[in-house]
Amino acid sequence: MKTHILSADGESLLQAKQIIDAGGIVAFHTETVYGLGANAFCDEAVQSIFALKGRPADNPLIAHVHKDYDVGKLVDKIPPYAEKLARAYLPGPLTMVYPSKGKVSRFVSCGLDTLAVRVPSSETAQVFLKEVDLPIAAPSANRSRHVSPVTARHVYDDFAGDIPLILDGGACSGGIESTVLDCTGEIPMILRAGLVTREMIAEIAGDCLFYEKCAGERPKSPGMAYKHYAPGCRTAYFTSDELQNAVRCYLEEEGRGGLPYFLCREGLLSSAEYRVLSLGACAEDMARTLYARLREGERKATLLVAIEPKERGGVMDGVLNRFTRAFGRETDET
Ligand code: TXA
Ligand code: MG
């Protein structure tokens, strides 16, 4: 199958609708990362996403809808704080989990009685969702556990020949996946940190928790149990306090004839002295550049030496979560 990369216009959108209506898969731009979408009502279409990605069967998908779609058709019991959050931050990089009405394919939520719903703000995503006028089940458009895609080219690199169409909206401005927020309780609870931060949620909802899995418990968001975002090269991971060890590690790799690269915030190490993949200076820059740098690193480096930024809170919560998961420091089993 030939994979076409097209920007969204009358012709490509019609093509996208035909593919989706026939149970096929269309990759599309969002403001966070590219998604791999299929009709959420169709069992076979949803199952084919899992097969294509090599995604574990217990890791549920997000249903994407356009901004005028009535979410009440799909979910129940939307609490007042969630309505306020939706007014403040949607369309945007915030996914909200509610009790499901069981209207979409049972494969979307992998047997959970909840459904994750997202209204992306990307113009490409909006016109695509409007054209199909269906909830679109979509994970990030990467092979399972690989780095998420932030350009159409990244999607092509993972799925060329396997999908007919990528709706190209350029580079993703957000760069890390949406915040996943459990809205089934009295207080909203972050299952996955992202660009809509805990502080932003607490400001509107009054309070906001971070989900922490208790020992032995099945994680509320099954995706949390997997190592993710891993670049396909050797990696080493240091905190900012371990800079000397990081430099030693880099020099040892060079001594062995390897080609190490640092991955770190701008200005930490001299790019005249070392090969540096810079993440920029602020948390938003780091979010926007992280996945592109990880993919660049796996192409160029024999060893990627990552140095964890020092900042905490706000958007850094999401950036650090992706850092630790990419470099395998998380405590969950994979
Ligand atoms: O920004 C994003 O959210 C991107 C773009 C394409 O929209 N999508 C994305 O999807 O990151 P995916 O499949 O890579 O991650 C979805 C996350 C997983 O961690 C999954 O476990 C969680 O959302 N999730 C989905 N449905 C859930 C549910 N009903 N309850 C709890 N967690 C859920
Ligand atoms: Mg993903």
Side-chain angles (χ1 to χ4, degrees):
M1 167 187 309
K2 186 161 167 45
T3 300
H4 299 273
I5 302 180
L6 301 172
S7 53
D9 60 20
E11 205 172 312
S12 63
L13 287 170
L14 196 63
Q15 212 176 314
K17 182 172 164 51
Q18 282 165 354
I19 295 165
I20 293 293
D21 286 345
I25 293 177
V26 171
F28 62 102
H29 174 271
T30 85
E31 71 280 16
T32 57
V33 302
Y34 277 74
L36 206 55
N39 180 354
F41 290 129
C42 174
D43 284 349
E44 292 76 23
V46 175
Q47 282 180 298
S48 70
I49 295 180
F50 284 85
L52 182 60
K53 275 195 69 145
R55 183 178 177 102
D58 64 351
N59 190 5
L61 306 179
I62 297 170
H64 296 66
V65 295
H66 64 73
K67 61 182 175 8
D68 302 318
Y69 194 89
D70 177 10
V71 174
K73 288 201 279 198
L74 305 178
V75 296
D76 248 345
K77 300 196 186 107
I78 299 178
Y81 71 75
E83 279 171 9
K84 281 198 228 165
L85 286 169
R87 274 198 297 278
Y89 299 124
L90 298 187
L94 174 65
T95 295
M96 299 164 94
V97 176
Y98 302 111
S100 177
K101 281 189 169 165
K103 302 285 185 210
V104 299
S105 161
R106 64 200 159 94
F107 297 107
V108 174
S109 290
C110 304
L112 298 174
D113 53 10
T114 53
L115 179 67
V117 183
R118 164 153 150 71
V119 187
S121 62
S122 143
E123 185 57 29
T124 303
Q126 278 295 324
V127 290
F128 165 57
L129 293 167
K130 195 97 201 179
E131 179 80 21
V132 296
D133 201 22
L134 287 168
I136 293 290
S140 50
N142 52 280
R143 298 267 174 206
S144 188
R145 300 184 189 202
H146 192 211
V147 179
S148 299
V150 292
T151 65
R153 177 73 215 190
H154 293 158
V155 181
Y156 189 85
D157 287 344
D158 278 17
F159 293 113
D162 294 330
I163 54 173
L165 177 60
I166 303 170
L167 287 176
D168 188 356
C172 301
S173 57
I176 56 172
E177 300 84 348
S178 62
T179 306
V180 179
L181 189 69
D182 183 340
C183 297
T184 62
E186 267 171 41
I187 299 173
M189 185 160 60
I190 293 180
L191 303 178
R192 178 176 72 184
L195 293 170
V196 176
T197 64
R198 177 190 197 158
E199 293 81 355
M200 288 164 69
I201 294 165
E203 191 187 320
I204 303 291
D207 203 354
C208 176
L209 305 170
F210 262 117
Y211 175 68
E212 278 170 52
K213 184 169 87 81
C214 303
E217 186 196 351
R218 188 178 183 227
K220 241 182 189 313
S221 191
M224 290 165 54
Y226 300 108
K227 186 176 173 189
H228 255 123
Y229 321 120
C233 61
R234 283 162 46 243
T235 58
Y237 188 52
F238 297 92
T239 66
S240 314
D241 297 332
E242 300 168 323
L243 200 55
Q244 284 187 345
N245 292 342
V247 170
R248 194 173 312 131
C249 173
Y250 175 102
L251 292 175
E252 277 170 13
E253 176 70 4
E254 220 172 34
R256 284 192 291 268
L259 204 65
Y261 276 75
F262 281 115
L263 177 81
C264 61
R265 66 165 308 142
E266 194 177 297
L268 187 69
L269 287 158
S270 153
S271 50
E273 216 172 324
Y274 305 105
R275 282 174 295 274
V276 178
L277 297 171
S278 169
L279 293 170
C282 65
E284 286 76 12
D285 282 352
M286 291 187 211
R288 189 167 36 76
T289 54
L290 179 62
Y291 290 151
R293 293 286 179 267
L294 286 174
R295 282 188 180 242
E296 192 180 340
E298 71 181 3
R299 270 203 325 275
K300 293 180 174 170
T302 55
L303 176 70
L304 193 58
V305 183
I307 303 172
E308 183 182 285
K310 255 202 160 77
E311 299 91 331
R312 295 290 181 273
V315 171
M316 273 320 284
D317 288 334
V319 173
L320 277 179
N321 167 276
R322 304 319 190 271
F323 241 84
T324 49
R325 294 173 71 79
F327 297 102
R329 274 227 183 154
E330 102 244 40
T331 50
D332 282 321
E333 309 86 48
T334 57

